[in-house]
Each structure stands twice: as structure tokens, then as C-alpha cells.
Amino acid sequence: YERAIAQQPNNVAYLYEYGKVLIEADQSTRAAEIGDLAIVAAPLDVRGYSLKANALAYSDPTTAIILALQGEEFDPNFAPLYAAQAIANTQIYRYSQALNAGRKAIELDPSDATVYRAYAWPLIFVGQSVEAIENLETSIALSPNLPGPYFQLAFEYKSRLDNPKMAIAIYQKILTDLSPSPTDAAKANLRICETYSTAREANFNLAETYC
């Protein structure tokens, strides 16, 4: 994508896809910058607003909501806009709006893995762990190589359902099946360490290995 953008810096399709990859790689600040470039290149194209809204949904939810609403003016049926609102509204404790936005995103594009993950976020905060897990599992089924939903799923099993064995199995899958980045591999090892050391039947020797 960087090569493509170097050749065609105003191609919104390239900018949008590149930005989505950056978000998945936990480079949301850079993704927001790419969103700005897309908005400047095509101010009537919904994708620039959606990209920046999703990039800022966790860190600057108020701005993300404003951008998503702006994007609706150009295409009110673009599912990622509502995914951004599901996350951003959760961050500012507007759970009803977040849940409605998450449901709307899935309704508009049931084949997009990211919308199920976004909907799971408010579900987690309102204590609907079983439904959150179902949505995270759907997200994984649709896009099985992205580590983000696995981390959220494992956390739900560990913290909400008190099932550390399942959590460890999910973290192990990240390490063995997904070819994770060094950052994600370190994070998975850390989570396994924490899970072994905080379980009811703690195994500190095994935990230390993963630490």
C-alpha cells in the first residue's frame, strides 16, 4: 500500500485500505493521518471520514463520533461509520447509542468482521459476555488471521466467565497459528503468564516461563 500511495497519493481506495491495515497494526495515529489525506483528496467520499473515525474511536471518541456523523451525510449506509460509533459511544458511556450503532453496522454489512468486533465492545461493558463472545467468534470466523479479536475473546473467557483454560488456549493459538508480530507475541506471552499466575490453581513456575 505504501508503494501504491507513493505512485497515486490521491487514490482514496489505496489510502482507505492502507489506513485499515494500520489500525489493525495498532498504528491508529498514522491511520488518522491517512484519513486526513483521504478527506483532502476526496472531501465527498465517505471512506476518509470513516477511516479517521475508526482510527480515533478509542482515543478521541468525541471527534470520532463527529467524523462518523459527517460521513453519514455522504453515505448513510456505510457500515464502518456505525462500527466507529459503537466503539466511540462506549468510550463515553453512551451504551444505548453504542449498542444501536453496533447492531446497525452488522445489519448493513454482515460480512465485515470488524463490525462484529465493534459491536462486542459495548456488549462487554454492559455485561452481556455471552453475546459479546458470540460476536467475537463471528469476527474470527470471517477474518481468522487478525489477532485483535482473539485477545478480546480470551480476556472475556478469563475475566468474565472464569475460564482460564480457554483463555490460555486462545493465547496459545495466537502464538502458534497466526504468525503474530513481535508486539503481539510478547503480549500473548504476558497474558498467558498473568492467567497462570492469577488462576485459582495458580502455576507460578509455568507462569514464569511465559513471563
Side-chain angles (χ1 to χ4, degrees), residues 77-132:
N77 296 314
F78 195 61
L81 292 174
Y82 301 95
Q85 291 179 64
I87 296 169
N89 276 299
T90 302
Q91 297 299 93
I92 56 175
Y93 315 111
R94 296 173 51 174
Y95 300 127
S96 178
Q97 293 90 334
L99 291 167
N100 288 335
R103 285 190 286 264
K104 179 75 170 179
I106 293 172
E107 176 188 331
L108 289 170
D109 192 356
S111 65
D112 185 345
T114 62
V115 300
Y116 293 93
R117 183 181 176 189
Y119 183 40
W121 194 242
L123 288 171
I124 289 169
F125 278 80
V126 298
Q128 298 184 33
S129 292
V130 173
E131 192 172 353

Side-chain angles (χ1 to χ4, degrees), residues 113-179:
T114 62
V115 300
Y116 293 93
R117 183 181 176 189
Y119 183 40
W121 194 242
L123 288 171
I124 289 169
F125 278 80
V126 298
Q128 298 184 33
S129 292
V130 173
E131 192 172 353
I133 285 172
E134 290 173 355
N135 279 273
L136 289 169
E137 288 175 341
T138 300
S139 178
I140 288 169
L142 289 169
S143 191
N145 294 319
L146 297 178
Y150 289 94
F151 280 109
Q152 286 179 278
L153 183 62
F155 183 83
E156 283 302 289
Y157 274 110
K158 174 191 171 186
S159 301
R160 312 284 185 177
L161 300 185
D162 192 24
N163 190 339
K165 289 183 179 180
M166 179 63 78
I168 289 171
I170 295 169
Y171 292 131
Q172 291 282 16
K173 183 175 179 63
I174 294 171
L175 292 171
T176 58
D177 295 353
L178 300 191
S179 301

Side-chain angles (χ1 to χ4, degrees), residues 1 8 10-21 23 31-56 64 67-82 84 109 112:
Y1 286 126
Q8 298 185 27
N10 294 321
N11 188 313
V12 177
Y14 296 163
L15 291 167
Y16 181 64
E17 295 300 327
Y18 178 44
K20 290 199 298 181
V21 173
I23 290 173
E33 294 171 354
I34 297 297
D36 282 329
L37 294 177
I39 292 170
V40 170
L44 302 183
D45 193 312
V46 66
R47 290 173 291 182
Y49 300 92
S50 174
L51 177 59
K52 188 170 182 181
N54 279 281
L56 298 178
L67 286 162
L69 293 174
Q70 287 178 315
E72 285 185 43
E73 296 296 319
F74 307 111
D75 186 352
N77 296 314
F78 195 61
L81 292 174
Y82 301 95
D109 192 356
D112 185 345

